[in-house]
Amino acid sequence: MLRQLQNILKNHSETSENHQDPLLQTHYFKANRTKVMDAVEELVRQQSHYKLLGSSKERGELSFEVTAPRKAFAVITATSLRPFKTAVDINVTSESPLPIDFGYSRKVILAINEGLKGKLEFIGTSLLENN
């Protein structure tokens, strides 16, 4: 209950390896970084309410703006661990006059992860599980 309340009482969400929310843990895909970055870029371009701001395949980073239903800024980072194992982390900050977004930034992350699972082979969410 407290965790759910914390998720809606902020305007920022991000994934991490040891996140307390299992849905916001780092996602791992069976692909190299270039293929992951191509899939992320394709996903962003397919959404009419996403506007690509910048992409650096060499660094494994992509940034975009969510324009509807609320404004938000997102950064996706892809890190190669092995030739065919890449970690994806997502950072989303919503724009709002209030310091809370009622879970909107979390929903954006979940939507991106689901979109990537449809394009790439998903391995799991824990580094320890996937050695």
Side-chain angles (χ1 to χ4, degrees):
M1 172 75 173
L2 180 61
R3 189 178 305 156
Q4 290 175 338
L5 188 60
Q6 288 173 336
N7 285 335
I8 64 170
L9 293 180
K10 57 186 175 179
N11 69 346
H12 172 83
S13 292
E14 62 186 322
T15 62
S16 65
E17 179 63 30
N18 297 315
H19 202 285
Q20 62 187 3
D21 182 346
L23 296 175
L24 294 180
Q25 290 179 341
T26 301
H27 279 52
Y28 294 88
F29 295 94
K30 186 175 183 178
N32 62 28
R33 184 172 67 189
T34 302
K35 187 173 179 182
V36 170
M37 289 300 295
D38 289 342
V40 169
E41 193 167 324
E42 181 183 342
L43 180 70
V44 169
R45 291 185 189 280
Q46 287 177 344
Q47 300 295 323
S48 62
H49 56 282
Y50 290 175
K51 178 183 175 187
L52 182 65
L53 299 176
S55 176
S56 173
K57 290 183 182 179
E58 299 81 29
R59 294 184 63 199
E61 289 186 350
L62 180 138
S63 61
F64 67 96
E65 179 180 46
V66 180
T67 57
R70 295 183 191 166
K71 287 192 172 193
F73 176 75
V75 176
I76 300 176
T77 306
T79 307
S80 287
L81 303 174
R82 293 189 200 134
F84 289 99
K85 183 176 183 180
T86 302
V88 175
D89 277 309
I90 306 167
N91 185 323
V92 177
T93 303
S94 63
E95 295 179 23
S96 170
L98 300 172
I100 58 176
D101 68 4
F102 302 103
Y104 179 70
S105 55
R106 181 178 183 274
K107 289 177 187 174
V108 171
I109 290 173
L110 298 179
I112 293 167
N113 278 335
E114 285 305 309
L116 288 177
K117 286 178 185 176
K119 295 183 178 300
L120 300 167
E121 185 179 342
F122 177 64
I123 300 173
T125 58
S126 173
L127 189 59
L128 296 175
E129 283 177 6
N130 303 311
N131 282 331

